[in-house]
Amino acid sequence: MTIELGGSLPSGNLESGHHSLQAGLRAWVEDQTHHPVGYLEQLYTFADHGRGPDAAPGARRISISYLGLVHEQSSAGTARAEWQDWYDYFPWEDYRDGRAGMLDQIVTRLNDWAATAPALCDERLRRVQYAFGTNGAEWNEDLVLQRYELMYEAGLVAESGQPQGFGRPMMADHRRILATGIARLRAKIKYQPVMFELMPDSFTLLHLQQTVEAIAGLRLHKSNFRRQIDQHALIEETGEMSQESRGRPAKLFRYRREVVEARALAGSRLPISRD
């Protein structure tokens, strides 16, 4: 959920009338988007110099960010708020159809950047290899922030002062905050069933798998994914069938709220399809 034509995230100042940080956040989000916030957790505190376009010289603005999960619905009553695909901002993070074509260009530019500082070249190349899975290293879907910050340092994104860059830019450091949120969510779905905060009351197994794939940016092995869900007893049948117009009707399931959320998927890995 964004404002300013997709250029920034909902935000605002903590005011004396807000009895807590979360209360202030909920008030600002609902005021700016007309959309209630569901699941909420504190994400990270940002306090670098020059974070905002109106920051005075030497001033330090401190922002406390939150990760919120809600069911997508229209944002009636405001023209400012819009849902955006986060892969518009980070297109290189979408591995669902294989390695993004632009990654080769990004890695080439990063390697050229590494070579501009001979004393730091080896260290920079190791960082590129680790973050982007080059030279035989494995792609780690959780390293969203590390990849973005490396590209920022190399001047490959508009926020670093370049006229053109990879991905859709955002105001100030809002894309960095978004990268932090994506990384947190990708890691969290492996040990807590937070994806159910994004699901309707009833859903098919295909819908559930596609939701997890969209978050992770990866294709999952269908049989292994369903076996993992069954092992943790996270869902149960509703006794109803989907009424989708395409394909055969499928069983509808719901999340078992009585399952202790902290135990779900503990220490597990996503069953990624390597086909």
Side-chain angles (χ1 to χ4, degrees), residues 164-184:
Q164 293 183 335
F166 293 95
R168 183 176 178 178
M170 301 187 82
M171 181 190 78
D173 59 358
H174 284 211
R175 189 153 54 140
R176 183 186 178 201
I177 296 173
L178 179 57
T180 307
I182 296 172
R184 171 73 64 84

Side-chain angles (χ1 to χ4, degrees), residues 1 3 86 110 113 116 118 143 161 173 186 200 207 221 242 263:
M1 174 64 77
I3 59 174
W86 70 31
L110 288 171
W113 164 73
T116 62
L143 301 180
D173 59 358
R186 283 184 170 183
H207 186 189
H221 191 282
S242 69
R263 87 162 225 241

Side-chain angles (χ1 to χ4, degrees), residues 74-96:
S74 61
S75 302
T78 177
R80 298 179 62 206
E82 295 179 318
W83 290 101
Q84 304 290 342
D85 185 341
W86 70 31
Y87 292 121
D88 289 344
Y89 302 95
F90 305 96
W92 56 87
E93 292 292 338
D94 191 355
Y95 247 72
R96 285 174 293 178

Side-chain angles (χ1 to χ4, degrees), residues 70-173:
V70 297
H71 294 165
E72 183 176 353
Q73 62 188 48
S74 61
S75 302
T78 177
R80 298 179 62 206
E82 295 179 318
W83 290 101
Q84 304 290 342
D85 185 341
W86 70 31
Y87 292 121
D88 289 344
Y89 302 95
F90 305 96
W92 56 87
E93 292 292 338
D94 191 355
Y95 247 72
R96 285 174 293 178
D97 294 320
R99 185 178 175 87
M102 71 171 59
L103 271 173
D104 290 336
Q105 185 181 357
I106 290 173
V107 169
T108 297
R109 295 275 298 276
L110 288 171
N111 289 339
D112 291 344
W113 164 73
T116 62
L120 300 174
C121 185
D122 288 345
E123 177 191 353
R124 288 180 172 182
L125 290 175
R126 283 195 297 269
R127 290 170 61 196
V128 173
Q129 178 177 334
Y130 170 72
F132 287 86
T134 63
N135 298 326
E138 185 176 352
W139 174 268
N140 186 337
E141 67 276 7
D142 295 346
L143 301 180
V144 186
L145 180 60
Q146 288 88 334
R147 284 187 281 270
Y148 174 75
E149 291 193 328
L150 192 57
M151 293 173 66
Y152 183 98
E153 187 178 345
L156 302 188
V157 294
E159 290 88 341
S160 59
Q162 302 302 312
Q164 293 183 335
F166 293 95
R168 183 176 178 178
M170 301 187 82
M171 181 190 78
D173 59 358

